[in-house]
C-alpha cells in the first residue's frame, strides 16, 4: 500500500500540464487511503471534548511543495491547559494533487476539495463517528486553477472560482454528496490592474456568501474589483448584481472577504498592497460601500510582503489578517458601532508564509498554516485585549494551505 501511494503521487504531481491532465483525471478518481499509527504527529489527549480538523496542502513539484494530500486530525479542546488544541493524526488521503482549498456541505457530512493549478474538484463522505473520509467522485471544474469553493444554502449547488480562467462555475450536488455536471459558467472581465505580473486578466479568488445567504461576493485580484452575484436555487444559474460597488484601489488585488457576524460590515483584504478595506454592506442590494483603508503591515516594515487570509473573531470584536513576507498575523480591534479598525499588534507567525489561518470551533484558538515551514502553529486568541499568544508545539504537516473543522 505504501509503495502504491508513492507511485501514484509521483504520477499526479507530474500531471500539471498538457496531456498529463488526462492521466491526472484518471488517477484522481482512485485516491489512496493510507492509515497512520495514532502516535504519528500526535499529542496526547485527555479531554473528551473533541472535533475533527481537515488540512489541505500543496503537493506538486512545480510549487516546490512538500504536502502529501488531505490530512485528518482529531483535535481535543483542553481549555485551561497550556496547549489548547491537542491534535492526533488519524488519516491521510494521498494520491491527490494540490487539494488546496476545502469546504463542507451545509450538513457537514461531506467535504469538497479543489485541486489548485489543475482543473478538478473531489467529493468525500465524512464518517460521523471517526471523522475519516471516503472518496465519492471527482469531476471537472471546467476551468483552470480552482482556488475557492462554496456550497449554496439549499445544499444543491457548489460554486467554484476558477482563478486562471477568469470564471465562476456552478456544479450540481447530488443527494448522496457526489458531484454532478456543470449548471452554469460566468466569465468575469474588467479593467486589469497595473501589476505587470499578477494582473494580466480577471482573477476571481473567492466565492463567499454573505450572512443572509442571499449574495455571493467575489473578490477579483486581477481587475481590482469585488463582484456581487446571486444564485437561482432552482436552476443553478448565476446573475451578476450591478449594485454599484466601487472599484478597489488600483493594484490592491482583492483576495478574500470576511463578514461581521452581527453587523452589516464586510472587510476585504488586498493581497498585492497589503491592505484591509472596511465596507458597509447593504443586505437589500448586495452593495459594498468602503469607508476605511488600513495597512496590514507595521509602518516600520519596509520589505516585500503580500497579505493572504482574513477572518473575524466569533464575537466580531477583532479582525485578523496574515502577511506573507512579514510572516505575521495582525490583530485589529473592531468598533462595534462604526466598524472601524484599530491595529492592536502584530504576532510572529513562528514560520514562513502564513498563507491561511482558522479559528477553532470554540473561537479560543487560532491555527496558523505556515506553508513554507510545513507546520500549523496554535495561538490562544482569548488573551487580554485580544492579542494572540503562542501556546504549544506546532503540528508538522507538509505545505499546509487550508484548515476546516467539523464537530466530533
Amino acid at each position: 500500500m505504501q509503495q502504491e501511494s508513492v507511485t501514484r503521487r509521483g504520477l499526479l504531481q507530474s500531471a500539471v500540464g498538457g496531456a498529463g491532465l488526462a492521466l491526472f483525471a484518471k488517477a484522481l478518481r482512485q485516491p489512496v487511503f493510507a492509515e497512520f499509527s495514532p502516535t504519528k504527529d500526535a499529542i496526547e489527549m485527555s479531554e473528551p471534548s473533541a472535533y475533527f480538523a481537515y488540512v489541505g496542502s500543496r503537493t506538486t513539484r512545480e510549487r516546490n511543495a512538500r504536502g502529501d494530500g488531505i490530512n485528518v486530525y482529531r483535535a481535543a479542546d483542553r481549555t485551561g491547559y497550556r496547549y489548547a488544541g491537542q491534535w492526533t493524526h488519524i488519516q491521510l488521503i494521498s494520491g491527490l494533487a494540490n487539494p488546496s482549498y476545502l469546504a463542507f456541505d451545509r450538513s457537514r457530512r461531506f467535504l469538497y476539495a479543489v485541486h489548485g493549478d489543475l482543473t478538478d474538484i473531489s467529493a468525500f463522505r465524512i464518517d460521523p463517528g471517526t471523522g475519516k473520509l471516503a472518496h465519492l467522485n471527482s469531476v471537472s471544474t471546467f476551468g483552470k486553477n480552482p482556488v475557492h469553493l462554496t456550497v449554496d444554502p439549499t445544499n444543491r449547488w457548489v460554486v467554484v472560482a476558477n482563478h486562471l480562467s477568469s470564471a465562476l462555475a456552478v456544479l450540481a450536488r447530488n443527494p448522496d454528496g457526489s458531484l454532478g455536471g456543470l449548471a452554469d459558467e460566468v466569465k468575469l472581465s474588467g479593467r486589469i490592474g497595473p501589476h505587470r505580473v499578477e494582473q494580466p486578466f480577471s482573477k476571481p479568488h473567492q466565492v463567499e456568501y454573505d450572512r443572509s445567504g442571499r449574495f455571493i461576493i467575489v473578490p477579483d485580484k486581477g481587475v481590482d474589483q469585488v463582484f456581487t452575484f446571486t444564485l437561482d436555487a432552482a436552476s443553478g444559474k448565476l446573475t451578476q448584481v450591478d449594485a454599484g460597488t466601487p472599484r478597489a484601489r488600483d493594484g490592491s488585488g482583492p483576495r478574500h472577504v470576511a463578514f461581521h457576524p452581527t453587523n452589516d460590515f464586510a472587510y476585504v483584504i488586498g493581497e498585492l498592497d497589503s491592505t484591509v478595506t472596511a465596507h458597509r454592506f447593504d443586505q437589500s442590494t448586495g452593495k459594498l460601500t468602503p469607508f476605511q483603508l488600513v495597512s496590514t503591515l507595521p509602518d516600520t516594515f519596509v520589505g516585500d510582503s503580500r497579505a493572504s487570509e482574513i477572518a473575524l473573531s466569533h464575537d466580531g470584536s477583532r479582525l485578523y489578517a496574515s502577511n506573507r513576507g512579514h510572516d505575521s498575523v495582525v490583530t485589529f480591534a473592531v468598533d462595534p458601532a462604526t466598524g472601524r479598525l484599530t491595529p492592536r499588534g502584530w504576532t510572529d507567525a513562528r514560520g514562513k508564509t502564513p498563507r491561511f489561518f482558522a479559528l477553532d470551533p470554540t473561537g479560543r484558538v487560532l491555527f496558523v498554516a505556515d506553508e513554507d515551514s510545513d507546520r500549523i502553529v496554535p495561538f490562544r486568541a482569548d488573551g487580554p485585549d485580544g492579542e494572540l499568544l503562542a501556546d504549544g508545539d506546532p503540528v508538522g504537516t507538509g505545505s499546509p494551505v487550508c484548515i476546516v473543522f467539523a464537530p466530533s
Side-chain angles (χ1 to χ4, degrees):
M1 174 68 77
Q2 183 176 2
Q3 181 63 41
E4 181 183 5
S5 174
V6 171
T7 301
R8 182 169 291 143
R9 182 166 179 256
L11 168 65
L12 294 181
Q13 291 189 352
S14 68
V16 175
L21 289 176
L23 294 175
F24 166 77
K26 180 179 179 181
L28 185 63
R29 286 156 173 79
Q30 299 179 9
V32 179
F33 296 85
E35 298 298 333
F36 279 69
S37 163
T39 60
K40 174 176 167 53
D41 294 334
I43 303 172
E44 181 183 358
M45 293 189 303
S46 60
E47 291 289 307
S49 175
Y51 50 87
F52 299 113
Y54 301 85
V55 178
S57 67
R58 292 281 186 181
T59 67
T60 57
R61 287 189 295 270
E62 288 76 8
R63 286 278 181 167
N64 192 30
R66 298 152 303 281
D68 50 12
I70 300 175
N71 284 278
V72 185
Y73 299 84
R74 187 175 186 271
D77 174 25
R78 297 186 63 187
T79 305
Y81 290 75
R82 177 173 177 268
Y83 183 58
Q86 307 297 307
W87 285 23
T88 300
H89 189 278
I90 60 174
Q91 187 187 26
L92 164 68
I93 299 182
S94 62
L96 298 173
N98 295 333
S100 53
Y101 205 90
L102 312 176
F104 297 110
D105 79 309
R106 295 289 170 156
S107 71
R108 291 182 177 260
R109 295 168 51 218
F110 302 93
L111 180 76
Y112 301 95
V114 290
H115 299 276
D117 294 332
L118 298 165
T119 62
D120 295 78
I121 178 174
S122 294
F124 302 87
R125 179 185 297 109
I126 302 172
D127 184 294
T130 67
K132 292 183 178 181
L133 301 175
H135 179 253
L136 294 174
N137 73 332
S138 301
V139 301
S140 173
T141 65
F142 298 89
K144 177 70 172 177
N145 192 16
V147 293
H148 197 270
L149 71 163
T150 189
V151 177
D152 85 302
T154 70
N155 224 18
R156 295 180 59 191
W157 312 102
V158 179
V159 186
V160 178
N162 283 313
H163 189 56
L164 295 184
S165 299
S166 307
L168 309 180
V170 181
L171 305 174
R173 182 184 171 276
N174 299 320
D176 66 355
S178 64
L179 294 163
L182 181 70
D184 196 17
E185 181 181 32
V186 175
K187 294 283 187 178
L188 301 182
S189 62
R191 177 166 59 88
I192 63 172
H195 197 291
R196 291 181 297 172
V197 176
E198 292 289 350
Q199 296 183 308
F201 43 74
S202 164
K203 288 185 171 182
H205 211 294
Q206 188 189 34
V207 281
E208 185 76 4
Y209 272 98
D210 75 301
R211 282 192 298 121
S212 72
R214 180 182 175 189
F215 297 103
I216 302 172
I217 304 302
V218 184
D220 191 311
K221 191 173 83 173
V223 298
D224 293 324
Q225 183 70 53
V226 180
F227 296 99
T228 301
F229 284 85
T230 58
L231 177 71
D232 184 270
S235 65
K237 301 298 183 183
L238 289 166
T239 300
Q240 184 175 336
V241 177
D242 185 13
T245 296
R247 177 182 165 90
R249 174 193 281 183
D250 281 359
S252 60
R255 178 182 174 93
H256 282 182
V257 62
F259 287 93
H260 195 279
T262 57
N263 293 328
D264 293 335
F265 305 127
Y267 301 89
V268 176
I269 193 162
E271 175 182 334
L272 301 181
D273 69 352
S274 298
T275 60
V276 173
T277 304
H279 300 78
R280 294 179 183 87
F281 179 69
D282 189 328
Q283 293 197 42
S284 63
T285 65
K287 180 180 180 179
L288 293 163
T289 303
F291 62 86
Q292 186 189 19
L293 181 75
V294 295
S295 176
T296 65
L297 298 168
D299 60 11
T300 56
F301 180 75
V302 296
D304 293 324
S305 189
R306 291 192 180 186
S308 184
E309 188 55 281
I310 187 169
L312 285 137
S313 61
H314 288 189
D315 64 1
S317 65
R318 297 175 302 281
L319 182 140
Y320 306 104
S322 62
N323 297 297
R324 297 171 293 177
H326 188 246
D327 291 335
S328 65
V329 177
V330 58
T331 302
F332 296 96
V334 181
D335 186 295
T338 66
R340 289 183 59 84
L341 303 175
T342 302
R344 291 302 189 196
W346 285 262
T347 302
D348 190 315
R350 296 178 62 194
K352 295 181 179 179
T353 319
R355 182 186 180 92
F356 187 88
F357 62 81
L359 286 159
D360 79 333
T362 71
R364 292 190 293 263
V365 186
L366 186 141
F367 290 96
V368 177
D370 289 326
E371 180 181 7
D372 289 330
S373 294
D374 300 330
R375 61 185 188 173
I376 297 170
V377 183
F379 294 88
R380 290 295 296 266
D382 55 359
D385 297 323
E387 70 265 30
L388 297 175
L389 304 174
D391 188 36
D393 297 326
V395 177
T397 186
S399 302
V401 294
C402 185
I403 311 166
V404 294
F405 299 104
S408 172

